[in-house]
Amino acid sequence: MKLISLKGIVFITVPFFIILFSQKIYSQNKSAGEDESVFHLYTYITKESPLQTQVFTAKDIEESCAVSLTDFLQSSGMQLLSYGSYGLESKPSIRGFTDETVRVVIDGVCVNNSQYGTFDFSSFDLSNAEKIEIVRGGFTSSVNSEGAVGGTIYITTKKQSLENKLTFDISLKTFFNQSAPVDGLFQNISYKGKVADSSFLSMALKLNHAENRHFYTYGLKKIREREHSDVTDSNLNLFYCTYFGNANCFSISNDLYSGAKNCPGNAYGANSGTQQDLDNRLTLRLESPEVFNFVSLENTLSYLSYHRLFDAAKEHSKHKLDTIKFSSSAKTCNLKRIEQSLGINFNCDFLDSTNDGNHNQFLFSMNETTKFFASKNIFVTLPLSIVSCDKNFEVVPKLALEFAFEKFDLMLDFYRMVQFPNMDDLYWIGEGFYGNPDLKAEDGIGGEIIFSLKKFYLPFEFCVFSNYYKNKIQWAGNTPRNIASAFYLGCNFYLTKSFLEERIVLNLSFEYLYTRLLDKSKKLEYGNRIMWTPDLTFSVSSKFNFYGFVFTLEGNYMGKRYKSNANITFLKPYFLTNLSCVYNGIKNFTPYARVENLFNVNAESVDSYPLPGTSLALGIKSVL
């Protein structure tokens, strides 16, 4: 089906801008003596329904002492398909879904690479995160995102500060390797401050180098040292915002990442190579929290650039992807019985790749969410999306019924899931493999029943979910095809409890997942579990805060995962333990330490890619 015409896009977009620029008239009507409140958006998740959402604040992130986003997400209990230590590839997995079916959204902008569908976690500076929110499942009422199947990782970066702050942070990491006693050096300098009465500026620069020469065992407990896996990279973040009128805000941000990586390949082969990445995200945003006391508006224009060079013995390739994203959304406010949100999203991708050739891709979506307040405690939410991507056109409806009472919450939701093929699936040519430009979108349905008990000695949340997924894209016969289908059934459990005025905090979570492949044409796979998908994951953390010391003890269990859909061989379950300590008793200085894999467990997240053994990181942070 053809893309929606330009005339239609203009017809939909113009009303948003008419309302948007009318804010100027409204702000001029304010009396000179009125105070202007400073509006600061800290989250991109609908605040009315926090169910099935794990929220981590900047304080949680700092007290974990994690060096990278990968380390932090692993410590939170999320399954990651990790190909090594710092700076090397890792892919998030939520409820058995991975790759592009898990969306990563930074400050309201989806940053998944449309060439291969994922996001490079190493390109994000963890110290710049104000909040990380993990939403499980495919239900969301957001109108300014592209949607997800397995879940979404929302990241909100640090913005303005009313005080001028200069921060230095440096840490050293060791794997207790005598040939490389200091394996990693990580240093960060940042500034936040006020540059005018209502204007703010923040800057951050991070420089890192890691040899990644950790030990691992193979065969009959023989010990080897990981070689040729060093990573040198840097992050540069700039953010400027100014407030005007009735807390309206214009902001511009730029995030630059540069990385030079030795990719060692698996532990038993010789297919290593070097990879150079240069990524840039430029975003302009105009926010109007209240126009005519009726509607809030947000317009975002982003330019994303992903450049990658790869050089190996049998492969030399260049990949350049430039993406332009525009989103506009409006949400009614100050209405008693109904809320309505409208949004449009338009993406233009321009790819120049050694393996994919030169291709352009255009995606357009219209999103609407209506929320009815049937009573004070009962809500009905009806999101609807219409999405067009080249030859694919899909309608994605959702429905949720929520009961919110003083002691407990109950939510039932039902939704459709759609995932378009990435550009590698469509156009790849290399080593006898060929993309398939006739691929259809992956399709599925899902539902959840979520119960949250709030007024209880041990408050907890429990969810039962189920998904049926079809037209899953799999490479078969040297080309990808829409041939796979599967059934998912599982449950999540979360518990958080603080003791002694939050001097002790306990967090507990687990997920059980039952999956079955339903493609009857593959007799050896029909009825089996999905590869790489564990049946059980479990995470527990305890935080102790006494006399200025904050100790955090983390434990993460990963269940059995089959290496292929034939379910013949599998990766063994493992339990990793991390320990961190922060001391807040020195003015302007905060020393910290983190031990990962405390008991030196031999583990693999991906077959033949051993996870690092015991490591120790020591650092100090200074705020002036």
Side-chain angles (χ1 to χ4, degrees):
M1 182 174 288
K2 293 183 179 180
L3 266 174
I4 296 175
S5 67
L6 180 61
K7 184 185 294 185
I9 296 173
V10 173
F11 177 77
I12 296 169
T13 309
V14 167
F16 283 92
F17 284 102
I18 292 175
I19 299 175
L20 177 66
F21 287 108
S22 68
Q23 61 172 319
K24 186 175 182 181
I25 300 174
Y26 172 73
S27 62
Q28 288 175 348
N29 291 332
K30 292 184 60 183
S31 63
E34 283 187 278
D35 293 331
E36 297 180 1
S37 60
V38 175
F39 175 69
H40 188 172
L41 188 60
Y42 278 106
T43 180
Y44 285 89
I45 297 175
T46 304
K47 296 180 181 179
E48 296 85 350
S49 180
L51 300 178
Q52 280 302 281
T53 302
Q54 283 182 285
V55 180
F56 303 96
T57 65
K59 182 179 178 182
D60 297 326
I61 297 169
E62 291 173 1
E63 290 178 349
S64 74
C65 306
V67 172
S68 66
L69 180 59
T70 298
D71 293 340
F72 181 78
L73 292 177
Q74 282 180 328
S75 67
S76 69
M78 174 181 286
Q79 182 197 5
L80 287 174
L81 302 179
S82 179
Y83 290 80
S85 47
Y86 176 82
L88 301 181
E89 185 179 9
S90 60
K91 302 176 182 178
S93 178
I94 299 179
R95 293 184 175 178
F97 293 95
T98 188
D99 292 340
E100 59 262 51
T101 57
V102 177
R103 294 293 182 182
V104 179
V105 178
I106 300 178
D107 289 337
V109 179
C110 181
V111 293
N112 289 62
N113 184 309
S114 58
Q115 180 185 359
Y116 42 84
T118 58
F119 172 68
D120 183 3
F121 279 179
S122 64
S123 67
F124 179 77
D125 180 5
L126 182 63
S127 64
N128 195 38
E130 179 71 37
K131 183 179 290 187
I132 297 176
E133 299 159 288
I134 303 172
V135 179
R136 285 170 165 77
F139 181 85
T140 175
S141 59
S142 173
V143 296
N144 60 354
S145 65
E146 300 169 20
V149 173
T152 307
I153 302 171
Y154 291 90
I155 301 174
T156 304
T157 60
K158 294 177 180 177
K159 303 296 192 307
Q160 65 267 17
S161 172
L162 295 176
E163 299 179 354
N164 294 326
K165 292 183 180 180
L166 185 62
T167 304
F168 298 91
D169 191 346
I170 185 169
S171 63
L172 303 174
K173 187 174 184 177
T174 180
F175 288 107
F176 304 100
N177 185 341
Q178 292 183 358
S179 60
V182 178
D183 188 90
L185 171 63
F186 310 92
Q187 44 197 339
N188 179 284
I189 180 172
S190 64
Y191 166 81
K192 286 184 178 62
K194 206 173 180 183
V195 294
D197 288 342
S198 57
S199 298
F200 302 85
L201 175 69
S202 65
M203 302 178 291
L205 174 64
K206 188 172 184 179
L207 302 172
N208 315 297
H209 176 76
E211 291 289 332
N212 290 326
R213 293 168 64 177
H214 60 84
F215 295 108
Y216 65 94
T217 59
Y218 76 104
L220 299 175
K221 298 297 180 180
K222 296 182 180 179
I223 298 177
R224 280 188 177 179
E225 176 187 326
R226 203 67 163 114
E227 297 179 341
H228 311 299
S229 59
D230 58 288
V231 172
T232 300
D233 60 6
S234 61
N235 301 80
L236 176 62
N237 305 311
L238 301 172
F239 176 83
Y240 171 82
C241 70
T242 183
Y243 291 89
F244 59 95
N246 186 35
N248 302 310
C249 179
F250 170 77
S251 64
I252 179 171
S253 63
N254 194 82
D255 301 309
L256 176 66
Y257 172 77
S258 176
K261 309 175 182 181
N262 276 317
C263 305
N266 65 56
Y268 314 110
N271 187 27
S272 61
T274 59
Q275 177 179 305
Q276 298 181 43
D277 291 322
L278 182 63
D279 302 341
N280 193 70
R281 300 189 299 271
L282 174 65
T283 301
L284 287 79
R285 179 175 289 108
L286 188 59
E287 301 169 77
S288 303
E290 196 169 284
V291 179
F292 294 118
N293 200 33
F294 173 71
V295 63
S296 62
L297 300 170
E298 181 177 318
N299 287 266
T300 303
L301 178 64
S302 299
Y303 168 67
L304 312 180
S305 177
Y306 302 98
H307 293 190
R308 172 168 291 179
L309 303 177
F310 186 77
D311 188 12
K314 297 182 179 180
E315 180 183 351
H316 305 274
S317 61
K318 298 180 180 180
H319 311 276
K320 179 182 179 182
L321 176 67
D322 296 308
T323 300
I324 298 174
K325 291 175 176 280
F326 171 76
S327 66
S328 180
S329 63
K331 181 179 180 180
T332 59
C333 52
N334 297 327
L335 297 180
K336 293 183 179 179
R337 301 298 297 270
I338 188 172
E339 285 184 359
Q340 185 130 26
S341 301
L342 299 171
I344 61 170
N345 299 280
F346 187 57
N347 292 2
C348 305
D349 296 307
F350 307 96
L351 178 65
D352 180 4
S353 168
T354 301
N355 298 99
D356 293 323
N358 292 283
H359 293 280
N360 303 329
Q361 180 174 275
F362 303 95
L363 182 146
F364 178 77
S365 69
M366 295 182 293
N367 311 298
E368 182 272 344
T369 296
T370 302
K371 186 169 185 177
F372 300 96
F373 296 83
S375 69
K376 181 181 178 181
N377 306 106
I378 302 176
F379 319 127
V380 179
T381 306
L382 296 167
L384 175 66
S385 297
I386 300 174
V387 190
S388 174
C389 183
D390 290 346
K391 295 182 292 185
N392 288 304
F393 179 85
E394 301 290 344
V395 178
V396 185
K398 303 176 185 180
L399 169 66
L401 178 62
E402 185 175 351
F403 303 87
F405 297 99
E406 181 182 357
K407 294 184 178 180
F408 70 91
D409 291 336
L410 178 66
M411 181 175 174
L412 298 86
D413 61 59
F414 183 80
Y415 50 88
R416 188 183 178 207
M417 306 177 293
V418 172
Q419 176 61 51
F420 295 108
N422 62 51
M423 298 176 82
D424 275 353
D425 291 332
L426 295 170
Y427 309 118
W428 181 271
I429 298 177
E431 296 185 358
F433 293 90
Y434 303 92
N436 182 359
D438 296 322
L439 289 171
K440 299 178 181 179
E442 300 176 352
D443 188 13
I445 56 175
E448 302 169 327
I449 301 176
I450 310 167
F451 177 77
S452 175
L453 190 59
K454 298 181 290 187
K455 299 293 184 178
F456 188 62
Y457 179 71
L458 292 176
F460 67 88
E461 177 180 309
F462 182 75
C463 170
V464 177
F465 61 88
S466 181
N467 301 100
Y468 169 69
Y469 207 52
K470 63 179 182 178
N471 292 328
K472 176 69 176 175
I473 296 173
Q474 282 191 354
W475 284 76
N478 295 340
T479 189
R481 299 174 183 175
N482 295 102
I483 56 175
S485 58
F487 173 74
Y488 302 74
L489 177 66
C491 62
N492 296 120
F493 176 85
Y494 306 105
L495 181 151
T496 300
K497 177 64 177 178
S498 60
F499 305 90
L500 302 177
E501 299 180 348
E502 298 190 354
R503 291 186 178 274
I504 301 177
V505 180
L506 174 67
N507 292 285
L508 174 68
S509 68
F510 77 79
E511 176 180 288
Y512 173 78
L513 183 62
Y514 171 91
T515 62
R516 285 297 178 266
L517 294 163
L518 301 179
D519 183 9
K520 293 185 178 181
S521 64
K522 296 185 176 181
K523 296 181 180 180
L524 295 178
E525 297 181 5
Y526 181 76
N528 291 350
R529 273 176 40 189
I530 300 174
M531 61 185 294
W532 306 124
T533 304
D535 52 355
L536 179 66
T537 58
F538 174 82
S539 174
V540 59
S541 69
S542 300
K543 186 178 296 184
F544 306 90
N545 187 352
F546 292 98
Y547 304 106
F549 287 95
V550 180
F551 293 93
T552 304
L553 182 63
E554 307 161 350
N556 302 284
Y557 171 82
M558 193 63 59
K560 182 172 70 174
R561 294 135 294 140
Y562 285 103
K563 297 181 182 181
S564 71
N565 287 334
N567 286 187
I568 298 173
T569 58
F570 59 87
L571 297 177
K572 294 180 180 180
Y574 60 82
F575 187 86
L576 300 181
T577 305
N578 305 321
L579 175 64
S580 62
C581 176
V582 177
Y583 181 61
N584 297 311
I586 306 175
K587 185 178 180 181
N588 297 332
F589 291 92
T590 305
Y592 59 88
R594 178 177 175 86
V595 181
E596 293 185 342
N597 197 355
L598 182 62
F599 299 106
N600 201 31
V601 175
N602 184 36
E604 290 180 342
S605 174
V606 178
D607 185 28
S608 301
Y609 287 86
L611 294 176
T614 303
S615 66
L616 170 65
L618 299 174
I620 187 167
K621 181 178 180 180
S622 174
V623 180
L624 304 177

